[in-house]
Amino acid sequence: MHHLSVTDDSWTGPAIEALASSNVYVSTDVPGYEDLQASLAQTVPADGSIAVVVLPDEAASADQYTFYLLEKLTKGADQQTVILAIGDDLMGDSTALGRDAVLTIANQNEGAGMPTGLVETVQDVKADLPAGGGPGGTDSGGADVLMPVIIGGVVLVAAVGTTVGLIARRRRKPAASRKSADPVPPGIRLRVNRLRELAPSYAAVPGNAIAAETATNIDTLASHVEQLFIRLDAKAGEDQSVIAEAEYSDKLARLVAALDRDYLLDLLTRPDLWDAPDERVDEVREALTAVTTQIVDNIKQVNARKGLLFQVSLDSLIGRSELRDWERQFRKSSGEPQQGDGSP
């Protein structure tokens, strides 16, 4: 069992402690927590592969950054997969499936509300986990023992180890389709992959705090970009995804050019070879922070079923002619059509 400090929030401590002896934890601050706990205990596999944590809406205020509470629970629990509900917001992570796969399932089911969406998420994740981890047969000679559980007037009929709810299941994509279809558009995926390729180069710069910070921020940006399009795919209309792709295709291409080894990394390692190196470094760092902040805001807008708002401009980077040239080279090398940028 991992030991994790929980002094900065009052929610994960009791949950991690409970998960040491159970696969389900429902906060007593959640209305109807006893019935929900009983139902989930019948839904979650008894083999310890999945843990489910349910917290009230107010727990969201303890999220210092996206997935903060989820990461603490994942690190503190022994179960390989953790599904977390904060109010109606569903999320999860899994060493077996990967966070993106679990989040995609959670986002697809989230629209059904609680507890339906949570029950469906557990069932779908359980179906996608590698076979062989479940409990053996029951004392009933292989027949499922049905157990009725009442949640807010809705009767769920639960089999031992498997919930067969009287909850109408919504249509969703088959597991194979979810795994093969990338919700991140191809052009955006190219930029995310390039960002991830660059991060280790910054992390490898010895004794440079800005380079180390940049490596972390690049990884954060790449993760948030993926989350935006995963959630758009699950929760929003296609038009919103197209709008986001158009917005971030250019911005991420400019950031990739600015973060490339020939620009910011060279500025940090050989500032003596550049004019106004500090000014240039600040421009790139501010642009990276601004785009990341806007993407997080967009994710929150998607979660709240609101339209996307874009307010970030990268004018300082656009003004650098060398970055325009490198952006063109990136588009050319990735097979994308060249776009006019207003330069001569």
Side-chain angles (χ1 to χ4, degrees):
M1 182 73 182
H2 304 286
H3 295 283
L4 193 67
S5 172
V6 292
T7 57
D8 49 353
D9 77 82
S10 60
W11 305 103
T12 55
I16 292 171
E17 183 177 352
L19 293 180
S21 57
S22 173
N23 295 319
V24 177
Y25 171 79
V26 181
S27 170
T28 56
D29 293 312
V30 174
Y33 73 93
E34 290 179 329
D35 289 337
L36 183 55
Q37 176 99 18
S39 174
L40 290 172
Q42 300 300 325
T43 306
V44 176
D47 60 0
S49 59
I50 299 177
V52 176
V53 175
V54 183
L55 303 176
D57 286 317
E58 50 265 34
S61 62
D63 248 345
Q64 298 182 12
Y65 53 83
T66 307
F67 306 129
Y68 171 72
L69 295 181
L70 175 62
E71 289 178 359
K72 291 186 69 175
L73 291 169
T74 302
K75 292 176 182 177
D78 287 333
Q79 292 86 345
Q80 63 177 343
T81 299
V82 175
I83 298 172
L84 170 63
I86 302 178
D88 290 331
D89 191 15
L90 301 179
M91 63 194 77
D93 200 352
S94 173
T95 57
L97 299 177
R99 179 183 293 180
D100 288 348
V102 180
L103 286 173
T104 298
I105 294 172
N107 290 336
Q108 288 173 339
N109 290 325
E110 197 172 73
M114 285 284 288
T116 307
L118 178 57
V119 171
E120 291 187 351
T121 297
V122 174
Q123 292 173 331
D124 295 343
V125 169
K126 181 169 62 176
D128 285 359
L129 285 174
T138 69
D139 293 337
S140 60
D144 288 333
V145 180
L146 299 182
M147 301 177 62
V149 180
I150 300 176
I151 300 180
V154 178
V155 179
L156 305 181
V157 181
V160 173
T162 308
T163 295
V164 186
L166 296 181
I167 298 175
R169 291 183 55 82
R170 297 177 299 116
R171 295 177 63 186
R172 69 181 185 93
K173 297 178 183 178
S177 298
R178 288 199 313 271
K179 292 177 181 177
S180 60
D182 186 357
V184 181
I188 300 296
R189 174 59 68 190
L190 283 172
R191 289 152 175 76
V192 169
N193 290 345
R194 182 57 180 155
L195 287 170
R196 289 212 162 102
E197 290 171 1
L198 290 170
S201 298
Y202 285 90
V205 177
N208 191 309
I210 293 178
E213 178 188 83
T214 301
T216 299
N217 291 344
I218 289 174
D219 280 333
T220 298
L221 173 62
S223 176
H224 286 337
V225 171
E226 289 177 326
Q227 277 307 304
L228 173 60
F229 285 95
I230 287 172
R231 290 169 183 255
L232 281 169
D233 181 66
K235 300 182 181 183
E238 184 178 356
D239 58 333
Q240 290 289 297
S241 184
V242 171
I243 291 171
E245 181 180 2
E247 167 73 9
Y248 288 113
S249 180
D250 288 342
K251 283 185 169 57
L252 291 177
R254 289 196 180 99
L255 271 180
V256 166
L259 293 166
D260 214 329
R261 297 179 180 89
D262 291 333
Y263 194 67
L264 181 60
L265 190 61
D266 198 47
L267 280 164
L268 294 176
T269 55
R270 294 302 305 271
D272 55 306
L273 302 181
W274 291 84
D275 63 288
D278 292 340
E279 178 182 335
R280 291 172 180 268
V281 169
D282 288 344
E283 288 172 354
V284 179
R285 295 177 70 196
E286 289 171 4
L288 178 57
T289 298
V291 172
T292 302
T293 299
Q294 179 174 277
I295 288 177
V296 172
D297 288 342
N298 289 159
I299 292 173
K300 293 177 180 178
Q301 290 155 9
V302 174
N303 289 340
R305 306 303 199 275
K306 296 179 180 178
L308 299 179
L309 298 177
F310 307 114
Q311 299 176 320
V312 171
S313 172
L314 302 183
D315 291 341
S316 61
L317 298 185
I318 295 173
R320 299 290 186 184
S321 60
E322 61 270 38
L323 291 183
R324 292 199 300 269
D325 293 339
W326 290 334
E327 182 183 343
R328 292 192 196 99
Q329 291 174 11
F330 173 79
R331 291 182 182 278
K332 183 177 180 180
S333 65
S334 61
E336 295 184 12
Q338 301 300 299
Q339 298 181 4
D341 56 12
S343 59

